Amino acid sequence: MDDRAVRAALQRHWDASDASDFNVEHEIYREDAVLSYPQSGERIDGRTNIQESRFVQPNKKRFTIRRIIGGGDLWVTEYILTYDGVPSYVVSIMEFHEGLVAKETQYFADRFDPAPSRAHLVERISG
């Protein structure tokens, strides 16, 4: 799979995620894919379990993609995941094998104000 095809598959994945289309969202994963959330210490094995873990979440979710970067078998998506109107900043690292995601690791962060000690050095950006 060339980089253009992977980028298109990722865009389809994130668009489906935003639309809560759980079937299309999970087409990108291998049957034996692994999803890790290091901050909570969770590891979910298998596409079926990954899909189920997302399906049972009661929150209304929206995905706003900030950028997708990568090449070959390693791709990173930076996005804002809004749960019930509250934004969380996310980095998704996807490792592909034979054209499908074999491993994904997601890191989450909440918004915070800049420290007063550096306020005179920063430019505020949105989102």
Side-chain angles (χ1 to χ4, degrees):
M1 188 180 247
D2 69 18
D3 287 355
R4 283 186 309 210
V6 173
R7 184 176 295 278
L10 285 166
Q11 190 62 58
R12 178 175 161 83
H13 166 76
W14 296 118
D15 288 347
S17 298
D18 189 53
S20 295
D21 185 338
F22 294 104
N23 291 325
V24 172
E25 176 183 2
H26 294 88
E27 290 174 352
I28 200 168
Y29 295 98
R30 293 173 48 95
E31 286 292 330
D32 61 349
V34 174
L35 171 62
S36 297
Y37 299 115
Q39 290 162 297
S40 64
E42 295 171 272
R43 173 184 156 144
I44 302 170
D45 294 325
R47 178 172 59 198
T48 301
N49 291 333
I50 293 168
Q51 183 172 350
E52 177 69 13
S53 74
R54 292 173 174 158
F55 180 75
V56 298
Q57 290 176 345
N59 309 79
K60 180 177 174 12
K61 298 179 287 292
R62 295 305 313 256
F63 294 75
T64 304
I65 304 306
R66 296 186 62 167
R67 66 180 174 154
I68 298 172
I69 58 173
D73 292 334
L74 184 62
W75 289 81
V76 176
T77 304
E78 179 183 344
Y79 62 99
I80 299 169
L81 176 56
T82 305
Y83 282 109
D84 297 329
V86 178
S88 187
Y89 298 81
V90 184
V91 173
S92 167
I93 302 167
M94 290 182 168
E95 299 174 45
F96 284 76
H97 179 70
E98 297 176 349
L100 294 172
V101 174
K103 182 177 180 184
E104 180 179 18
T105 304
Q106 291 186 344
Y107 296 94
F108 296 79
D110 294 328
R111 182 172 177 76
F112 59 89
D113 290 326
S117 62
R118 67 175 183 260
H120 66 286
L121 302 170
V122 302
E123 175 185 340
R124 293 297 299 247
I125 58 174
S126 63

